[in-house]
Amino acid sequence: MRLLFLGDIMGKVGREAVIARLPDLRRRLDLDFVAANAENAAHGFGISEAIATELFAAGVDCVTTGNHIWDKREIVSYIERDQRLLRPINYPEGTPGRGAALLQARDGRRVLVVNLMCRLYMDALDNPFAALDRVLKLNPLGRGAAAIIVDVHGEATSEKMAFGHFCDGRASLVIGTHTHIPTADALIMPGGTAYQTDAGMCGDYDSVIGMEKGPALAKFLRKMPGERLTPAEGPATVCGAFVETDDLTGVALRIVPLRIGGKLAQSMPEVVARRPVLA
Ligand SMILES: [Fe+2]
Ligand SMILES: [Fe+2]
């Protein structure tokens, strides 16, 4: 199966870049399933129903989020209605929405997406390891789900790497979000799980993690309340990772970072045409 995961979609330029490029990416990379983190899609803070609808129409199959999930209050009622929109799984019991969903890939096979939030330098949510363990035990890779994607939304690289090893052999892809900078550690772990500490954001990199650099810099220079941060509006780089999985076992065969457009060094996975499956 061919999967694409896109990192935090940042504001209008991030959204527009994803919407403009995704239909072509789906064709060129022959994608079966696309997931994207969109916790910053609404002007940097949260996501609205209209934006989620736009992303789904552009070819995103599942939207993950993180600490900004509740920034737009209207999302509370929407998340109850649409299982393709996830919030971190380790919010306390009774929180609206869900942190995992079994969704259909292009050919009807089922893909499990899990969204969790780390705890180092972040909100003190419930134990994300325990929550993830429960859902992975219910959906064994290759049996309960043809592929499994885990979005690890966190600040600390150590905690995210620990999640990679925790899932090794049990997920197709464990990929970090939240820090908005793509890391150069895309690899296949010994048990077959593809891993990258941060997918990078889909946004303007001439910025401070996607926000206008002037006001963001001022916040570091003067320890006073300053201007409200707004997303930078230069050309966006669409950032993420492309993963190819084994059809029988669901583990990853390869992972290639994807970076197109904007300021970053470009990276486009090469794919070969697939042979038809013999019955
Ligand atoms: Fe983010
Ligand atoms: Fe975040």
Side-chain angles (χ1 to χ4, degrees):
M1 203 176 263
R2 288 177 175 178
L3 315 170
L4 179 68
F5 183 92
L6 299 175
D8 305 46
I9 298 171
M10 187 66 183
K12 190 165 174 243
V13 294
R15 249 158 45 216
E16 287 181 350
V18 168
I19 288 166
R21 293 192 187 269
L22 193 52
D24 181 56
L25 283 172
R26 282 201 78 119
R27 269 191 308 275
R28 275 173 72 174
L29 300 176
D30 196 12
L31 296 172
D32 295 300
F33 192 87
V34 178
N37 186 301
E39 67 151 3
N40 308 108
H43 211 55
F45 300 93
I47 179 168
S48 63
E49 173 169 356
I51 290 173
T53 305
E54 249 183 357
L55 293 172
F56 292 135
V60 175
D61 298 299
C62 180
V63 167
T64 58
T65 59
N67 52 304
H68 287 292
I69 177 61
W70 310 122
D71 289 359
K72 292 271 168 288
R73 295 296 303 268
E74 62 169 274
I75 212 63
V76 175
S77 67
Y78 179 70
I79 203 170
E80 299 268 40
R81 284 183 276 124
D82 195 335
Q83 60 158 353
R84 296 172 298 173
L85 175 64
L86 301 181
R87 46 92 174 146
I89 196 167
N90 50 322
Y91 272 104
E93 220 179 293
T95 303
R98 54 195 72 69
L102 259 180
L103 300 167
Q104 282 203 346
R106 186 175 53 174
D107 65 359
R109 281 184 290 171
R110 297 201 298 176
V111 176
L112 176 72
V113 185
V114 190
N115 190 186
L116 64 86
M117 198 144 84
C118 294
R119 292 189 295 184
L120 282 176
Y121 316 115
M122 303 199 69
D123 281 352
L125 298 187
D126 293 348
N127 182 347
F129 289 94
L132 178 59
D133 196 51
R134 279 193 294 273
V135 72
L136 291 180
K137 279 186 176 141
L138 284 172
N139 300 278
L141 182 61
R143 285 174 283 153
I148 299 178
I149 299 172
V150 183
D151 174 349
V152 175
H153 196 75
E155 191 72 43
T157 50
S158 56
E159 194 175 7
K160 293 183 189 179
M161 280 193 96
F163 269 109
H165 293 296
F166 184 71
C167 296
D168 189 16
R170 300 200 286 166
S172 313
L173 169 66
V174 174
I175 189 148
T177 55
H178 179 72
T179 49
H180 291 204
I181 303 292
T183 56
D185 60 341
L187 59 88
I188 309 276
M189 290 187 154
T193 295
Y195 174 81
Q196 187 174 336
T197 299
D198 201 290
M201 66 166 172
C202 298
D204 175 9
Y205 280 79
D206 182 19
S207 67
V208 173
I209 63 168
M211 292 297 187
E212 281 292 349
K213 57 194 172 184
L217 179 57
K219 277 192 189 273
F220 285 101
L221 295 176
R222 297 186 295 275
K223 285 290 167 195
M224 288 174 62
E227 271 178 69
R228 188 177 156 83
L229 298 180
T230 56
E233 293 190 325
T237 306
V238 170
C239 268
F242 168 80
V243 171
E244 218 164 335
T245 64
D246 181 78
D247 280 333
L248 280 180
T249 61
V251 299
L253 301 171
R254 66 181 187 127
I255 175 168
V256 186
L258 175 129
R259 296 183 302 271
I260 46 173
K263 299 254 184 243
L264 295 194
Q266 306 288 287
S267 172
M268 182 65 170
E270 286 192 13
V271 294
V272 291
R274 279 187 276 198
R275 278 175 301 171
V277 180
L278 298 175

